Amino acid sequence: MRALTYQGPYRVQVEQKPDPRIEHPQDVVLKVTRAAICGSDLHLLHGLVPDTRVGCTFGHEFTGVVEEVGKEVSQLKKGDRVVVPFNISCGTCFYCQRGLTGNCENSNPGSDVASGVYGYSHTTGGFDGGQAEYVRVPFADVGPMKIPDDMDDESVLFLSDILPTGYQAAEMGEIKGGETVVVFGAGPVGLFAMKSAWLMGAGRVVTVDHVPYRLEFARKFANVETVNFKEVGDIVLHLKELFDGRGPDVCIDAVGMEAEGSRAHRVLGLGLKLEAGAPTVIEWCINSVRKGGNVSIIGVYGPPWNFVPIGTAMNKGLTLRMNQANTRRYMPHLLEHIQKGRIDAKSIITHRFPLEQAPDAYHLFAQKQDGCVKCVLMPHG
Ligand code: NAD
Ligand code: ZN
Ligand code: ZN
């Protein structure tokens, strides 16, 4: 089959690989119908995720049709259309029983930190991803959700990750009604965090980014106020002034590592050079949120970014929450929001490509060009 694989920092290619097969009786193999590219894939592309091996197939946001079924699978049969959560979970361990499927301890047994994730390095189990013609899905009775007959794959594709992720970002901000919320990052995850903040009853939602077309997209898609941090000087002071001199109740980091304007910078051809200091957006969140406020970190960080201004957070009495999204627990509820027309998830797709053009899609999405908000690959047309 054809698959998009890692070739070293900044290099991906589409190549021939063996078809995946059933390796465990609880597996299924899917014929992939749609596979999206995520901001998290850019961290892989940029060589920032430890133990990303050459030849690994990327892709953790996908839908597909069941092609082969393992002997112990009871919930799925050949021909079923499914959407699959990005984190692989066993359904029975300590964490899965508590709904913390993003922390499953059986899907990546060698790690005490990360659960298994499709197409996301050997740090998360070394599973091949779905930016390919076919993909193996372990614990197939647990993760995949059947797509209702009257819905097309693209309508539910983002239940695999960014919609539940944005929703969890808002939930970790503990939005109950009337709160003021700032979302850093107007990418796909940020957009769904904004939508979710409104659904949870936020009183005011502002997003901060520096890419003008993304800010414009956010105004239309999520009906939010926008701030271009490159135009306002000191962003922390600006946000304090915008919210009664105190700052907002909730700050959400939907950017993660490699934030524009950070102390980390690129050394020509050698990747990132890190300087001591907190990750930019976490620091902006902690400094601009009001005392006693909530900071929700859904942007992804790897080990090199372990500096956080904990003294300021302590003295301001902040609540900090963060995690990989526990995607599976939110899927049924968010499917209902899509079905009732409260969230038009598909409408953030700006570009579609055949699998063969996946490297171009990565380039476009990474460079934030041509109005690109979300790229979707179509491995079988
Ligand atoms: P994206 O790259 O499309 O969007 C990031 C946005 O942040 C861009 O629009 C960029 O211009 C903006 N940005 C850059 N620097 C900024 C700064 N200093 N201040 C404000 N905005 C800034 O990515 P995405 O797909 O929206 O993903 C966002 C983050 O969420 C990534 O770190 C991704 O890895 C993470 N993520 C986490 C989970 C999880 O489970 N925790 C799941 C999916 C994605
Ligand atoms: Zn993703
Ligand atoms: Zn588990």
Side-chain angles (χ1 to χ4, degrees):
M1 68 162 183
R2 307 290 287 163
L4 184 282
T5 63
Y6 183 64
Q7 298 298 316
Y10 297 90
R11 286 186 296 128
V12 284
Q13 73 178 30
V14 178
E15 64 172 325
Q16 198 66 25
K17 282 182 76 162
D19 285 350
R21 47 185 190 80
I22 304 285
E23 292 177 22
H24 184 278
Q26 290 169 12
D27 292 351
V28 297
V29 170
L30 294 185
K31 179 175 180 178
V32 180
T33 51
R34 290 289 184 273
I37 302 175
C38 178
S40 299
D41 292 323
L42 299 180
H43 304 322
L44 291 170
L45 177 72
H46 294 156
L48 296 173
V49 181
D51 209 2
T52 306
R53 298 187 191 170
V54 169
C56 169
T57 304
F58 286 173
H60 57 269
E61 301 181 354
F62 53 87
T63 55
V65 182
V66 176
E67 182 81 9
E68 269 182 79
V69 188
K71 283 197 179 62
E72 288 176 18
V73 176
S74 62
Q75 304 297 312
L76 295 177
K77 59 181 188 320
K78 187 172 162 65
D80 282 345
R81 295 159 58 231
V82 292
V83 54
V84 180
F86 78 89
N87 17 48
I88 301 170
S89 53
C90 74
T92 54
C93 73
F94 176 91
Y95 295 105
C96 285
Q97 280 177 356
R98 287 159 177 78
L100 300 169
T101 52
N103 304 111
C104 172
E105 57 192 357
N106 286 333
S107 59
N108 186 20
S111 168
D112 191 33
V113 179
S115 73
V117 176
Y118 296 97
Y120 217 75
S121 85
H122 276 66
T123 314
T124 62
F127 296 93
D128 269 338
Q131 291 168 6
E133 289 179 295
Y134 296 89
V135 64
R136 177 175 82 94
V137 173
F139 300 111
D141 279 339
V142 180
M145 189 174 84
K146 283 189 203 166
I147 302 174
D149 288 342
D150 60 348
M151 296 181 84
D152 62 292
D153 293 12
E154 287 184 357
S155 300
V156 296
L157 172 60
F158 300 137
L159 290 175
S160 59
D161 178 352
I162 52 172
L163 177 50
T165 296
Y167 189 85
Q168 183 174 319
E171 193 184 71
M172 290 192 302
E174 293 174 14
I175 299 165
K176 299 197 169 65
E179 290 85 355
T180 54
V181 181
V182 169
V183 178
F184 288 93
V189 171
L191 291 170
F192 287 132
M194 298 168 214
K195 275 276 192 194
S196 304
W198 286 129
L199 283 171
M200 291 171 195
R204 187 178 177 192
V205 184
V206 175
T207 189
V208 177
D209 204 300
H210 68 111
V211 179
Y213 80 76
R214 289 211 161 181
L215 291 170
E216 191 188 331
F217 195 95
R219 285 194 288 275
K220 290 195 188 121
F221 178 78
N223 195 23
V224 292
E225 298 166 58
T226 59
V227 174
N228 184 331
F229 68 83
K230 291 243 166 107
E231 290 174 355
V232 297
D234 186 329
I235 183 67
V236 171
L237 276 182
H238 183 82
L239 290 175
K240 288 214 171 290
E241 279 161 20
L242 213 53
F243 294 94
D244 301 328
R246 280 190 209 98
D249 300 317
V250 180
C251 277
I252 295 175
D253 171 356
V255 180
M257 50 189 164
E258 281 218 290
E260 176 78 16
S262 74
R263 291 189 196 85
H265 53 262
R266 296 213 163 271
V267 185
L268 264 188
L270 298 174
L272 268 194
K273 179 173 186 303
L274 295 171
E275 287 172 13
T280 302
V281 175
I282 295 183
E283 194 172 64
W284 287 355
C285 286
I286 288 176
N287 288 335
S288 53
V289 76
R290 73 159 168 78
K291 284 180 243 177
N294 292 336
V295 172
S296 162
I297 302 167
I298 205 76
V300 160
Y301 292 91
W305 278 262
N306 276 343
F307 310 94
V308 171
I310 204 70
T312 307
M314 189 274 158
N315 282 296
K316 288 178 77 173
L318 304 184
T319 299
L320 307 182
R321 295 188 62 190
M322 60 210 87
N323 204 351
Q324 294 287 354
N326 299 306
T327 317
R328 189 61 181 87
R329 75 193 279 182
Y330 302 105
M331 286 168 84
H333 176 62
L334 290 168
L335 173 67
E336 211 179 302
H337 279 316
I338 297 172
Q339 284 172 317
K340 299 239 162 86
R342 295 185 206 112
I343 300 177
D344 181 2
K346 181 179 171 175
S347 68
I348 73 161
I349 302 174
T350 50
H351 294 76
R352 293 174 180 81
F353 291 91
L355 181 62
E356 291 300 320
Q357 288 175 28
D360 299 334
Y362 266 83
H363 183 74
L364 184 76
F365 184 58
Q367 297 304 313
K368 317 284 184 249
Q369 287 169 347
D370 194 23
C372 181
V373 174
K374 191 75 176 173
C375 287
V376 170
L377 305 172
M378 306 181 297
H380 295 274

